[in-house]
Amino acid sequence: AASRLRLSGLCFLLQIFTIILFAIFVRYSPERGPSLCSQQLNCSWRNQDSGFQHPRFRDVHLQVLLGFGLLVVFLSRYGPGSVAISILIVAFAIQWAVLIQGFLHFFLNGKIYVGAQSMVSADFCTAAILISTGAVLGRVNPVQMLLLTLLGVTLFTLNEYILLSLMGVSDSGGSLTVHTFGAYFGLMVSRILHQPDTEKMKEPQDTRHQPDFFAAVGTIYLWIFWPSFTSATTVHDNAEPWAVLNTYFSLVASTLATFVLSPVLYEESTLQMVQIQDATLAGVAMMGMAGEMLVTPFGALIAGFLAGLIPPLGFRFLTPVLCSRLKTQDTCGVHNVHGLPGILGALLGTLLTALATADAYGGRLELVFPLVAQGSRTVTDQALCQLYALPITLLLATLGGSFTGAVLKMKGLRSPPEMRYLENTVLWEVAEEGCDRGASRKERGT
């Protein structure tokens, strides 16, 4: 009863607080007129008109709710509770992101002006938080999840502002700001929350097939809507949708890579649907920064194929080490699916930036690298900024995750140990699914 009241009271306080802030600061954006982002040094959501953004907002929003929401159902016995937690996170994260991002990107004359582009920005932030929660899902209660969301949104926005507005980094699909930050922020929270006694606890695996069905549905939504996700913040201006094309090519190659490698690494007779889901996510994380750059179609295929090799190898070899040596339990495998592909995507984007020329990009150079086109920065300087953004993101993610984990570990926020194994519950912690998701796959297949 005390835990239920804590959740109810926290939800009430947070909602009343956001309502008050909305009443004071938030207003509708003008239907016509120049973009508010032009007031910023280098706003990542520049030159977007409402006619272009509304379809993108719809696609991105569906992607966040359906694509990410169905990712967590692989936990089987705890799937319903996990989906409920995801909806709770989305409901609060969007409100908080509109406020925090609004003060940095959409603040003018003492007011935050919201429209389709600010909602797309909020959905990007929500996606990063859902990635973070994937590292601790099943081991924290809803109250802790809400506090993680509160701090995570704030730190995400700070990292995004430093990279995109102050440093002028090009990261339209979020290899760094969404995938890398979200993964390593969540992993650090998981590391701080580690409890040695949980390693001795085992819970029987559920062999029902509903998780594979929901994983299939989630994968289909990822395929349909993620190209819109990676291109939602890119300018169009009658230019060919490079981000959409590159994302699709990366998706198909990463999926084939999984079919190549997984049968070799695992003894299962058939490929698990969740493995295809992992490959899909890895492919788009790899193409997040480089999507709007001149990757070339064959380059996108190569990048996607390399990204598709990471999840099978990671779950087979890295995840056990992460759990046993580093004491970091990664429930949904965000390190293999988002973290490592995001880092490689940032390095790919840095390389492509260093190779960018005005002849190759033509008029698109001003859209992808505006500071270079204006002459205020050389291509080499831009590439160095892209490279420096990686350690900055990792630093903020690890420090922020450590602080957040310390807050969540406070005694009054943890659920009683005797309630740890309640199934399909929304108000309590659920049992461990094990450190190695690859191992759980094998048990289900057997």
Side-chain angles (χ1 to χ4, degrees):
S3 295
R4 287 180 169 86
L5 291 177
R6 280 201 300 268
L7 175 61
S8 176
L10 182 61
C11 288
F12 177 78
L13 291 176
L14 290 176
Q15 187 61 75
I16 294 300
F17 182 58
T18 54
I19 288 175
I20 293 173
L21 292 179
F22 266 65
I24 297 173
F25 295 106
V26 179
R27 300 292 184 270
Y28 294 122
S29 292
E31 295 184 5
R32 302 284 182 183
S35 172
L36 293 173
C37 286
S38 61
Q39 307 295 327
Q40 302 294 335
L41 175 63
N42 182 35
C43 185
S44 59
W45 326 107
R46 57 190 180 273
N47 301 329
Q48 306 291 326
D49 60 58
S50 59
F52 171 69
Q53 274 295 327
H54 283 298
R56 300 294 183 181
F57 164 64
R58 176 198 61 206
D59 292 350
V60 171
H61 199 58
L62 285 172
Q63 167 72 3
V64 170
L65 282 171
L66 292 174
F68 280 100
L70 293 176
L71 290 179
V72 298
V73 187
F74 86 91
L75 290 174
S76 187
R77 299 171 71 175
Y78 312 107
S82 301
V83 174
I85 294 300
S86 297
I87 295 174
L88 174 66
I89 292 169
V90 171
F92 175 63
I94 288 178
Q95 299 180 66
W96 191 240
V98 166
L99 288 168
I100 301 301
Q101 291 181 326
F103 285 117
L104 296 178
H105 293 296
F106 306 100
F107 195 70
L108 186 64
N109 298 327
K111 302 297 179 184
I112 298 172
Y113 290 92
V114 296
Q117 67 188 63
S118 58
M119 294 305 296
V120 168
S121 176
D123 275 332
F124 266 63
C125 179
T126 302
I129 302 306
L130 288 173
I131 292 171
S132 299
T133 58
V136 296
L137 197 63
R139 296 186 294 112
V140 296
N141 58 47
V143 171
Q144 292 172 307
M145 281 291 195
L146 279 175
L147 293 176
L148 184 151
T149 303
L150 178 73
L151 296 172
V153 167
T154 305
L155 292 166
F156 169 90
T157 305
L158 175 63
N159 180 66
E160 179 192 57
Y161 181 72
I162 293 173
L163 266 57
L164 304 182
S165 293
L166 298 183
M167 296 179 60
V169 172
S170 177
D171 188 24
S172 61
S175 283
L176 280 177
T177 55
V178 176
H179 297 280
T180 302
F181 178 86
Y184 288 99
F185 175 78
L187 287 171
M188 284 306 301
V189 174
S190 177
R191 175 63 185 88
I192 299 301
L193 292 178
H194 172 73
Q195 296 179 4
D197 59 329
T198 60
E199 293 182 350
K200 303 177 182 179
M201 299 178 181
K202 296 289 184 180
E203 184 74 0
Q205 294 288 335
D206 192 340
T207 59
R208 294 181 300 177
H209 296 289
Q210 287 90 340
D212 284 337
F213 169 77
F214 283 111
V217 176
T219 304
I220 291 172
Y221 274 107
L222 291 175
W223 270 77
I224 294 173
F225 294 110
W226 206 296
S228 294
F229 186 92
T230 55
S231 63
T233 63
T234 60
V235 290
H236 64 303
D237 289 346
N238 299 320
E240 288 296 326
W242 285 3
V244 173
L245 298 174
N246 291 331
T247 301
Y248 266 120
F249 292 139
S250 181
L251 283 174
V252 297
S254 63
T255 301
L256 281 178
T258 296
F259 277 89
V260 169
L261 200 55
S262 291
V264 178
L265 295 176
Y266 299 101
E267 298 177 0
E268 300 168 352
S269 58
T270 58
L271 197 69
Q272 295 290 333
M273 194 65 209
V274 71
Q275 295 172 335
I276 304 175
Q277 193 178 66
D278 294 339
T280 303
L281 289 165
V284 295
M286 183 77 164
M287 202 50 58
M289 177 180 289
E292 64 174 338
M293 300 179 188
L294 188 58
V295 184
T296 71
F298 81 90
L301 290 175
I302 294 174
F305 187 80
L306 293 176
L309 299 176
I310 296 175
L313 290 172
F315 284 116
R316 184 68 176 84
F317 300 108
L318 293 181
T319 299
V321 174
L322 196 69
C323 181
S324 60
R325 300 290 179 85
L326 301 180
K327 308 302 180 182
T328 303
Q329 294 169 299
D330 186 3
T331 305
C332 295
V334 298
H335 181 246
N336 306 314
V337 178
H338 298 278
L340 291 178
I343 290 176
L344 292 180
L347 296 177
L348 174 62
T350 300
L351 175 62
L352 293 173
T353 302
L355 299 176
T357 62
D359 293 337
Y361 280 78
R364 190 187 289 266
L365 184 67
E366 184 178 359
L367 307 179
V368 181
F369 305 114
L371 298 179
V372 174
Q374 296 167 10
S376 58
R377 180 179 291 177
T378 65
V379 171
T380 302
D381 292 337
Q382 181 67 39
L384 289 175
C385 287
Q386 303 282 133
L387 183 61
Y388 294 155
L390 177 58
I392 291 174
T393 297
L394 292 175
L395 180 63
L396 285 175
T398 52
L399 292 179
S402 299
F403 173 75
T404 302
V407 172
L408 301 187
K409 203 172 183 179
M410 294 172 61
K411 185 176 181 180
L413 297 176
R414 289 179 292 180
S415 297
E418 64 271 13
M419 306 304 294
R420 185 169 294 157
Y421 292 110
L422 288 183
E423 299 179 8
N424 286 331
T425 178
V426 177
L427 299 179
W428 303 94
E429 291 180 359
V430 296
E432 298 287 348
E433 285 290 326
C435 294
D436 186 358
R437 190 167 68 167
S440 66
R441 289 196 194 111
K442 181 176 179 180
E443 291 177 15
R444 288 203 302 270
T446 304

